[in-house]
Amino acid sequence: MKHIGEIIETNTKMFECQSVKLDESPDFGGFVKVISNDMTIYGIVFNICTMSEDITRKPVAFGLTEEELRRQQPQIFELMHTYFKVLIIGYKKEGYRGILPPRPAKIHSFVYDCEREDLIDISKDLNFLKNILNGQTGIEEELVASVIRNLSKVVLEKDCYMITVGKELIRLLKNDFDRFLTIKRMCKI
Amino acid sequence: MKGNLFRGSITSGLEIKLSDGNIIEDVKVGNFVVIQGKKNKYLCMVTDIKFEALNPQMLINGINIEDDIDEKIIDGTGVYGVITLSPMIQVDGEGNAISVKSIPAYGSLAQDANAEDIYNVFGIPSEENLYIGTPPEMDIPICINLKKLVERSTGVFGRAGTGKTYLTRLLLAGLVKSKCAVNLVFDAHNEYGYEAKREGGSKVKGLKQLFGSQVAIFTLDRESSLRREVPVDGVLNIAYNQITPDDIMLLNSMLNLNNTALESIYQMMKAEKNDWLYKFIKMDSSEIEEYAEEIGANGNSLQALKRKLERLTRLPFLKHIVPSDCVKQIMDFLQKGINVVIEFGNVSTLGYMLVANIITRHIHEMYVKASEKSIANDSKEPTPLVITIEEAHRFLDPSISRETTMGEIAREMRKYNVTLLIVDQRTSQIDSEVLSQIGTKITCRLEDDNDINSFLSGVNNATKLRNVLASLDQKQQALILGHAVPMPVVIKTRNYDQNFYNDVSTFSEDDFINKPFLKLLEEEKVDELFPD
């Protein structure tokens, strides 16, 4: 199993990773896992950015194609990195639980893409919806919709799953029905 | 149906949130639902069905749902069905059914009642428990307790064509079969005694065909009975001297009599005793003038009275001298426990009312005497008597019900074992005091607001039952409440068909289906039955 990133900042609710390769982060709304201490911690990718290693040095536009740029200014690609943030949604220790782990993921731990079995475990526990809607990411609706779309591809009975998730969303968003409608619309691609 | 209790009170009823997967359209007003509480079981009736939403906005925005999945998401979660139940009976841990004094615990499971629940409350069909119908959506017999039914008066109401006669036939057949009471039926439209036509053309059996010698038919219109080939047991004639001023007073509105006229009648009665009517009608104008002076009445008003009373002379059964005292015969039959149906043939309403009043008056006397005797001797009370009257509002109209024997029976006679079975279309035209004394009320669909109000006046939970009443089908459905049933109940009336005949009749199929009594009659020489 090849890792796709490494944790460079961590706390109870989320962690930030650096991608192994430039511009090769997991997708927005994708699921990743990290093995830390004696458990596997699961999370959702919600913010991806590529920027200079040195925050005081801002990249400039050269007006060249990528190929020309690689030929003329190869150092640029060495100084740039892709980072992504992950919202923690659960952990596995003798079975998956959709709640925050007792300890955060360790720094410099490797981050891996989730496999199908992991996704099926996650799909069974809808606590992640509440976790996302709590508003730590700033893009709650988009993230919920993206996660639901991703999970609906792995579950056995898609329609049934969409109904269960929809009902949970209605419960959570009972005071903001418009928000529910927005998410529902975003779920359909 | 399945759901959980989430709100409720004794006065406003219990509210159930319909569980996921249950379709609100499957729940019907009037159905039975059982709620299993922590200690007690509650048998309830569905009285209202509505939607509620987690958020009122959902009710509006949720309408624009795009597909099946969206519909399923919102249904039962955002917008859900709420069933209002009226708890009717509470069954405690030891199985005793008592009136409702508490409500089930929050979250208790509610589901459709099953056969056992219904049997526990209404009993299983037996001689005393008449299987009268089933819940509208179930196939479980619901019984009415005949012993209790005859303890108080009973009313069968409903608009024309909703099945009143049908229900009455079931009740009468049940009563005759069970022998809980002896019946006297004033059969205004010739529907109970012998064969009658059902709406749609086919024929149904009358009491005589089902019970043979346990039922006697008397007719006021011999010709009509002969034409319809009804095997009558006697032709009922009334003598003028059997008519009292009280009987005339009942006909007040039809004959258009004023107070002076009524007073004159009393004066004549005083002077002439029982013969007053015959003598008066036979007088010519000059005799009337003299007679008026003699008794101190106004001549003109007596003339007018005579003109009005002459309508009575056109009644075919009214005779100066009657061959036999039929009223006494009827009394004898009733005392022997034989049920009597009086057919009116084509006799007018006037005749119907006159005869019904005369006969009930005699019954009144007979039963009061018999009851008093039984109290004095500590002996057995007379068999309960049920008098069935159609178009009851004519007898029980607020303006006259205080004076008529029917009114008195309705109010007082249960103490003497006589009760009424009132069949009527207009509850609002029956004296409210009489209506309030009716023990068991059975109604088919009513539409007039006044009728519904009168029917429900004095009924517990009236507003909720109003919904139930309004949702009854046009035909063959009835709401029963009162003394003979442990809780109000909506039934789909049982079919009055071969199965029913087999249940109640002691005859074998061949005996009463094709050649019942006519052949027997021929053998016994019909003429002998009608001595001229």
Side-chain angles (χ1 to χ4, degrees), chain A residues 167 174 177-178 184 188, chain B residues 55 61 70 72 75 77:
Chain A
K167 283 182 181 290
K174 58 180 173 289
F177 191 58
D178 290 341
K184 190 169 66 76
K188 283 183 190 151
Chain B
N55 175 350
N61 289 354
D70 291 350
K72 283 179 183 153
D75 183 33
T77 319

Side-chain angles (χ1 to χ4, degrees), chain B residues 243-377:
Chain B
I243 297 175
T244 68
D246 288 343
D247 299 328
I248 302 290
M249 205 174 72
L250 178 74
L251 311 175
N252 191 355
S253 59
M254 262 180 275
L255 295 175
N256 196 18
L257 301 177
N258 53 26
N259 283 343
T260 328
L262 291 174
E263 278 164 24
S264 309
I265 291 176
Y266 279 110
Q267 277 171 316
M268 284 192 280
M269 172 84 179
K270 209 171 156 190
E272 309 296 337
K273 303 284 181 277
N274 289 345
D275 266 344
W276 69 276
L277 181 59
Y278 187 69
K279 279 189 178 169
F280 180 56
I281 282 173
K282 291 291 163 199
M283 286 178 193
D284 59 28
S285 343
S286 58
E287 283 171 328
I288 284 181
E289 289 295 330
E290 279 173 34
Y291 187 63
E293 269 181 40
E294 202 179 298
I295 62 166
N298 181 302
N300 287 340
S301 69
L302 273 198
Q303 298 279 13
L305 177 61
K306 189 192 165 209
R307 276 196 302 279
K308 286 172 182 170
L309 289 183
E310 265 170 358
R311 270 182 72 189
L312 294 177
T313 60
R314 289 199 289 272
L315 295 172
F317 57 85
L318 213 52
K319 303 251 160 70
H320 181 212
I321 296 161
V322 290
S324 58
D325 188 350
C326 293
V327 178
K328 191 173 171 304
Q329 269 180 25
I330 291 173
M331 299 297 121
D332 289 345
F333 272 128
L334 292 176
Q335 272 180 325
K336 281 184 214 154
I338 295 173
N339 304 277
V340 176
V341 179
I342 301 177
E343 280 203 344
F344 285 76
N346 296 322
V347 168
S348 62
T349 316
L350 189 74
Y352 172 62
M353 293 187 64
L354 185 65
V355 170
N357 203 50
I358 292 172
I359 293 173
T360 34
R361 190 154 43 77
H362 282 85
I363 286 168
H364 183 255
E365 280 171 26
M366 179 176 97
Y367 264 77
V368 170
K369 279 180 193 159
S371 298
E372 285 170 350
K373 230 179 225 171
S374 83
I375 294 167
N377 305 339

Side-chain angles (χ1 to χ4, degrees), chain B residues 514-531:
Chain B
N514 297 320
K515 41 145 192 159
F517 304 97
L518 288 176
K519 212 170 172 188
L520 285 174
L521 271 182
E522 268 171 39
E523 287 164 10
E524 288 170 18
K525 290 177 190 162
V526 183
D527 285 349
E528 283 179 12
L529 282 170
F530 304 119

Side-chain angles (χ1 to χ4, degrees), chain B residues 31 39 56 65 95 97 109 135-136 138 156 168 171 182 185 197 220 239 252 273 319 324 337 351 437 448 485 500:
Chain B
N31 269 8
K39 288 184 173 173
I65 40 178
L109 179 70
M138 297 167 162
V156 178
T168 313
L171 286 175
V182 62
V185 184
K197 246 188 172 177
L220 282 160
N252 191 355
K273 303 284 181 277
K319 303 251 160 70
S324 58
Q437 296 303 316
D448 187 285
V485 281
F500 181 73

Side-chain angles (χ1 to χ4, degrees), chain A residues 83-100:
Chain A
Y83 304 93
F84 57 90
K85 285 189 179 173
V86 175
L87 180 73
I88 298 174
I89 55 162
Y91 69 98
K92 183 146 94 180
K93 189 179 176 185
E94 299 161 3
Y96 177 80
R97 303 183 71 191
I99 54 175
L100 293 181

Side-chain angles (χ1 to χ4, degrees), chain A residues 14-162:
Chain A
M14 56 181 74
F15 52 81
E16 188 170 357
C17 312
Q18 184 181 326
S19 276
V20 173
K21 288 184 183 164
L22 184 67
D23 287 335
E24 284 191 17
S25 74
D27 291 341
F28 171 74
F31 291 89
V32 294
K33 62 181 176 184
V34 50
I35 297 164
S36 165
N37 298 323
D38 52 350
M39 59 195 161
T40 309
I41 295 171
Y42 294 88
I44 305 166
V45 175
F46 72 91
N47 192 23
I48 306 160
C49 66
T50 300
M51 54 195 239
S52 161
E53 208 175 68
D54 179 357
I55 52 169
T56 58
R57 298 191 60 156
K58 203 174 174 185
V60 291
F62 288 96
L64 300 171
T65 63
E66 191 181 332
E67 206 177 307
E68 288 166 343
L69 206 55
R70 280 191 186 276
R71 214 169 36 240
Q72 292 176 24
Q73 307 276 348
Q75 78 287 352
I76 289 177
F77 295 94
E78 297 302 321
L79 294 172
M80 291 288 172
H81 292 293
T82 296
Y83 304 93
F84 57 90
K85 285 189 179 173
V86 175
L87 180 73
I88 298 174
I89 55 162
Y91 69 98
K92 183 146 94 180
K93 189 179 176 185
E94 299 161 3
Y96 177 80
R97 303 183 71 191
I99 54 175
L100 293 181
R103 265 162 291 148
K106 284 203 282 191
I107 197 132
H108 294 300
S109 299
F110 287 160
V111 176
Y112 304 92
D113 263 330
C114 278
E115 285 158 48
R116 189 182 158 81
E117 288 72 37
D118 298 319
L119 297 183
I120 286 174
D121 279 347
I122 292 167
S123 73
K124 287 174 188 160
D125 192 325
L126 296 180
N127 277 352
F128 66 85
L129 292 172
K130 170 85 176 167
N131 201 348
I132 300 172
L133 291 171
N134 268 346
Q136 300 162 43
T137 57
I139 40 170
E140 288 77 31
E141 288 85 354
E142 290 279 359
L143 188 59
V144 167
S146 169
V147 167
I148 294 171
R149 285 198 306 268
N150 289 340
L151 285 178
S152 70
K153 287 175 199 155
V154 297
V155 292
L156 288 175
E157 288 180 45
K158 185 183 168 193
D159 287 357
C160 203
Y161 187 67
M162 293 305 270

Side-chain angles (χ1 to χ4, degrees), chain B residues 470-491:
Chain B
S471 68
L472 291 179
D473 277 359
Q474 290 288 354
K475 263 178 185 252
Q476 254 202 307
Q477 274 199 2
L479 169 68
I480 308 179
L481 46 101
H483 196 59
V485 281
M487 59 178 270
V489 53
V490 175
I491 55 156

Side-chain angles (χ1 to χ4, degrees), chain A residues 159 162-163 166-168 170-171 173-178 180-181 184-185 188, chain B residues 20 54-55 57-58 61-62 65-67 69-70 72-78:
Chain A
D159 287 357
M162 293 305 270
I163 292 169
K167 283 182 181 290
E168 178 71 6
I170 281 201
R171 200 175 68 79
L173 296 173
K174 58 180 173 289
N175 294 324
D176 195 350
F177 191 58
D178 290 341
F180 165 77
L181 291 178
K184 190 169 66 76
R185 220 168 25 239
K188 283 183 190 151
Chain B
D20 282 1
L54 280 178
N55 175 350
Q57 200 61 34
M58 286 181 198
N61 289 354
I65 40 178
E66 288 148 25
D67 58 25
I69 291 180
D70 291 350
K72 283 179 183 153
I73 289 173
I74 202 159
D75 183 33
T77 319

